[in-house]
Amino acid sequence: MRPVSRRALLGWGGILVERRDLLQPQAVHSSGGELRVRLRAASSQVRIGGLSGSALTYNETLPGPTLRFRAGERLRIDLENRLGAATNLHVHGLHVSPAGAGDNPLRTILPGDSFDYRIPENHPPGIY
């Protein structure tokens, strides 16, 4: 089954707004000064507003989980690639160096591989 097109997803969003059955994504919270989460990128079957289809997901959910942590806490994301193509992870807004295990948008994670991202504590508070 092919992934859901942007047009179909927008249509599903319209159905959801009309039916008022929007679901909150799972929230993952930090503990002990660190948020550690495993994200599995994969094509999964999803159901939205009574319609079902295939979509690219994190942890088989659409949208993926909400990551909640405080300024000054570390963020570690183990990204597992279960897609049929290479992928990566990139954050917008956090002040993260691309060096080491940081936020390098050119990093390539091949299908079947994983990478442990480490976002340091020096980011300001905000919604990212």
Side-chain angles (χ1 to χ4, degrees), residues 19 45 61 69 86 91 105 111 116 122:
R19 291 187 54 196
Q45 290 292 60
T61 62
F69 60 105
V91 296
D116 189 17
N122 62 347

Side-chain angles (χ1 to χ4, degrees), residues 7-92:
R7 182 180 306 245
L9 188 59
L10 290 173
W12 286 0
I15 291 169
L16 289 174
V17 170
E18 289 175 16
R19 291 187 54 196
R20 300 188 188 280
D21 60 358
L22 293 174
L23 300 175
Q24 290 294 321
Q26 173 194 15
V28 182
H29 298 269
S30 62
S31 175
E34 179 176 82
L35 173 58
R36 189 170 192 159
V37 64
R38 182 175 191 88
L39 294 179
R40 290 176 311 279
S43 178
S44 304
Q45 290 292 60
V46 296
R47 189 163 179 82
I48 301 174
L51 301 174
S52 62
S54 179
L56 301 180
T57 64
Y58 285 120
N59 298 356
E60 293 82 38
T61 62
L62 185 69
T66 299
L67 308 181
R68 296 195 180 271
F69 60 105
R70 299 184 193 311
E73 293 184 321
R74 291 178 306 277
L75 173 60
R76 291 186 65 173
I77 300 173
D78 183 19
L79 179 63
E80 180 183 350
N81 183 359
R82 292 186 182 176
L83 301 168
T87 192
N88 69 7
L89 184 71
H90 177 62
V91 296
H92 290 261

Side-chain angles (χ1 to χ4, degrees), residues 101-125:
D103 183 22
N104 182 349
L106 301 178
R107 177 170 286 114
T108 299
I109 305 168
L110 298 174
D113 286 348
S114 62
F115 186 81
D116 189 17
Y117 288 88
R118 296 178 186 197
I119 310 300
E121 307 91 344
N122 62 347
H123 53 82

